[in-house]
C-alpha cells in the first residue's frame, strides 16, 4: 500500500513546537524530524518552515540563536522552545486532540479489515 | 567534470535565492534579508547533500532540493510579511500623511497668495476672495490630473483633490457670508478654513493609520501558512 501524502498547512506551527520540545534544532533538522516522526507521510514545501519559524519567534514561542561553533561551513541558527512556547504547545495539543477525537467520531475509528 | 556540476548546482541555488531576496528587499533590512537568505542557503545545501548521498549528480540534487523547498516568490513574500515590523512602518506612514495634509494647507494658502500677487501686479488691486479660491481650486484640480497620470506623483493625487474640493467649498461659504452680510469676516473664514482643512486631514489620516495598524496586527497574528 502506498504511503498517504498528507498536507500539513495550518498545523506546521504546532508541529514545529512539538519537535522543538525535545531538543533545540536548526531549520533543516526540524524538517527531517517532522519527516522521521511521520514516517514520511507528512509532506510540505520545506521553505514554508521559515515563515513559520519567524511567526513563532515573533510571538515569543521560540528563540533562535546563531551557533558559531560549527566547524565546517557557516554559522547555523538554532531554535529552542521558550516558556511561552511550552504553554502554547500544551494549548495546541489540547486543541488538536479535541479536533482529532471529533473527526474519529465521524470517521468511525480504525479502518475495517480488508478495506486497506 | 564534478566541479562543473557543482558550479551549475551553485548557480541554480543562487538564482533561486535571488528570487527570494527580491521579495525580502522590499520589507526587510539588508542585514535581516542577508541572514534569512543565509539560512535558506544552508538548508538547501544540506538537502542537496542528502540527495547526493543517494547517488544523484550535484546539479540534479540541487534541483530536487529546490523543487522540494517550494516556490521562491511565495516563500520570499511570506518571509517579508512575517519579518517586517508593522508598527514603526505604519507610524511612519501616518506621520507622512499628517505632514502631507499640513503641506496641502500651505499649498492652498500658497495658491491664493501667488494668484493675489499676480492679480495685484496685473490689475493693481487684490482679487476678491471667491475669485482667488476658484482659481486655486482649478489649479489644484489640474495638478491632481497631472499627478494621477504621473506614476511617481500618483500617491499625491488625493491630496491635490482634497485642496481643490475645499477651495471650492470655501468659495460657496464666502458667497453665503457675503449674502448674509458677513463679508467683512472673510479673514476669519480663511483662518478657520485652513485650520479645518488641517484638522480634518489629520483626523482622516490618523484614522487611516489606526485601521492599517489593526489590519497589520491581524495579519501578523495569523499563520502565514493558514492564509
Amino acid at each position: 500500500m502506498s504511503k498517504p501524502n498528507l498536507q500539513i498547512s495550518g498545523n506546521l506551527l504546532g508541529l514545529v513546537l512539538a519537535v522543538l520540545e525535545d531538543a533545540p534544532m536548526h531549520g533543516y533538522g526540524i524538517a527531517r524530524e517532522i519527516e522521521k516522526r511521520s514516517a514520511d507521510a507528512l509532506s510540505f514545501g520545506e521553505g514554508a518552515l521559515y515563515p513559520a519559524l519567524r511567526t513563532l519567534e515573533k510571538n515569543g514561542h521560540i528563540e533562535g540563536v546563531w551557533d558559531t561553533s560549527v566547524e565546517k561551513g557557516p554559522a547555523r541558527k538554532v531554535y529552542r522552545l521558550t516558556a511561552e512556547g511550552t504553554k502554547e504547545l500544551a494549548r495546541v495539543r489540547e486543541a488538536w486532540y479535541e479536533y482529532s477525537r471529533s473527526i474519529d467520531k465521524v470517521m468511525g475509528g480504525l479502518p475495517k479489515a480488508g478495506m486497506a | 567534470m564534478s566541479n562543473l556540476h557543482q558550479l551549475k548546482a551553485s548557480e541554480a541555488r543562487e538564482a533561486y535565492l535571488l528570487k527570494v531576496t527580491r521579495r525580502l528587499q522590499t520589507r526587510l533590512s539588508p542585514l535581516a534579508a542577508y541572514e534569512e537568505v543565509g539560512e535558506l542557503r544552508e538548508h538547501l545545501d544540506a538537502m542537496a547533500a542528502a540527495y547526493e548521498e543517494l547517488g544523484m549528480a550535484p546539479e540534479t540534487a540541487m534541483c530536487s532540493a529546490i523543487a522540494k523547498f517550494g516556490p521562491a516568490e511565495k516563500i520570499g513574500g511570506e518571509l517579508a510579511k512575517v519579518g517586517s515590523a508593522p508598527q514603526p512602518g505604519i507610524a511612519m506612514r501616518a506621520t507622512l500623511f499628517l505632514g502631507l495634509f499640513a503641506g496641502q494647507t500651505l499649498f492652498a494658502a500658497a495658491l491664493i497668495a501667488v494668484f493675489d500677487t499676480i492679480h495685484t501686479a496685473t490689475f493693481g488691486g487684490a482679487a476678491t476672495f471667491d475669485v482667488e479660491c476658484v482659481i486655486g481650486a482649478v489649479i489644484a484640480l489640474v495638478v491632481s490630473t497631472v499627478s494621477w497620470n504621473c506614476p511617481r506623483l500618483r500617491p499625491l493625487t488625493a491630496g491635490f483633490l482634497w485642496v481643490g474640493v475645499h477651495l471650492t467649498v470655501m468659495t460657496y461659504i464666502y458667497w453665503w457670508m457675503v449674502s448674509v452680510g458677513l463679508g467683512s469676516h472673510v479673514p476669519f473664514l480663511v483662518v478657520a478654513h485652513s485650520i479645518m482643512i488641517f484638522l480634518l486631514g489629520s483626523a482622516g489620516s490618523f484614522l487611516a493609520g489606526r485601521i492599517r495598524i489593526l489590519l497589520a496586527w491581524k495579519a501578523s497574528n495569523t499563520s502565514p501558512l493558514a492564509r
Side-chain angles (χ1 to χ4, degrees):
Chain A
M1 193 182 93
S2 65
K3 282 181 184 171
N5 189 8
L6 305 170
Q7 296 295 316
I8 62 171
S9 12
N11 297 309
L12 188 55
L13 299 184
L15 292 176
V16 172
L17 289 176
V19 164
L20 291 177
E21 189 186 27
D22 294 340
M25 273 178 218
H26 58 283
Y28 179 74
I30 295 169
R32 295 291 70 78
E33 189 61 21
I34 292 175
E35 209 170 70
K36 192 176 122 192
R37 288 192 193 183
S38 71
D40 293 338
L42 296 179
S43 85
F44 68 107
E46 291 185 22
L49 195 59
Y50 290 91
L53 286 168
R54 292 302 154 263
T55 303
L56 290 169
E57 264 188 312
K58 214 171 173 178
N59 295 343
H61 297 147
I62 62 168
E63 61 182 12
V65 178
W66 285 98
D67 177 15
T68 50
S69 65
V70 187
E71 284 180 15
K72 221 175 150 187
R76 282 172 167 178
K77 199 170 182 184
V78 177
Y79 299 92
R80 70 174 189 84
L81 213 57
T82 60
E84 270 303 306
T86 309
K87 280 184 208 161
E88 176 67 6
L89 176 60
R91 196 192 62 76
V92 170
R93 260 197 189 123
E94 185 51 45
W96 171 257
Y97 289 137
E98 186 64 33
Y99 173 78
S100 168
R101 275 195 293 269
S102 307
I103 296 286
D104 274 352
K105 280 178 197 164
V106 178
M107 290 285 188
L110 294 168
K112 286 169 190 156
M115 276 184 74
Chain B
M1 191 65 184
S2 171
N3 280 348
L4 185 66
H5 282 300
Q6 287 290 358
L7 189 68
K8 282 187 178 172
S10 301
E11 273 177 13
R13 180 193 65 200
E14 291 310 310
Y16 176 85
L17 291 174
L18 190 65
K19 286 183 200 164
V20 177
T21 312
R22 276 194 200 121
R23 292 298 179 107
L24 294 180
Q25 276 172 340
T26 56
R27 302 279 283 270
L28 300 190
S29 70
L31 178 64
Y34 176 78
E35 283 186 356
E36 287 287 5
V37 170
E39 221 181 330
L40 302 187
R41 183 182 289 113
E42 195 232 322
H43 192 129
L44 281 170
D45 284 347
M47 284 174 85
Y51 283 128
E52 279 183 53
E53 276 177 25
L54 295 173
M56 281 188 194
E59 201 183 337
T60 320
M62 183 54 76
C63 288
S64 303
I66 287 170
K68 196 172 180 205
F69 210 71
E73 289 84 359
K74 187 171 181 245
I75 294 163
E78 296 289 1
L79 278 172
K81 261 188 222 164
V82 181
S84 60
Q87 292 94 330
I90 295 299
M92 194 191 284
R93 236 170 280 171
T95 311
L96 273 173
F97 266 99
L98 284 171
L100 189 65
F101 279 107
Q104 284 153 21
T105 310
L106 290 174
F107 179 70
L111 281 180
I112 292 173
V114 166
F115 179 73
D116 230 6
T117 310
I118 295 170
H119 194 276
T120 307
T122 314
F123 302 106
T128 54
F129 187 69
D130 53 346
V131 174
E132 289 168 355
C133 284
V134 169
I135 298 291
V138 169
I139 293 173
L141 294 174
V142 169
V143 172
S144 70
T145 310
V146 173
S147 68
W148 177 253
N149 288 295
C150 177
R152 278 172 171 251
L153 295 176
R154 189 170 284 186
L156 301 175
T157 306
F160 293 129
L161 272 173
W162 172 264
V163 171
V165 167
H166 278 272
L167 285 173
T168 309
V169 171
M170 201 141 72
T171 311
Y172 282 106
I173 295 174
Y174 171 77
W175 285 338
W176 172 78
M177 285 179 82
V178 170
S179 71
V180 297
L182 294 170
S184 58
H185 292 85
V186 168
F188 171 76
L189 165 71
V190 176
V191 173
H193 201 271
S194 295
I195 292 170
M196 196 181 82
I197 289 178
F198 179 70
L199 289 181
L200 280 178
S202 302
S205 62
F206 177 75
L207 275 177
R210 298 303 300 177
I211 290 166
R212 291 187 78 114
I213 287 170
L214 285 174
L215 289 175
W217 277 346
K218 198 179 164 211
S220 67
N221 285 330
T222 310
S223 158
L225 299 150
R227 279 200 293 270

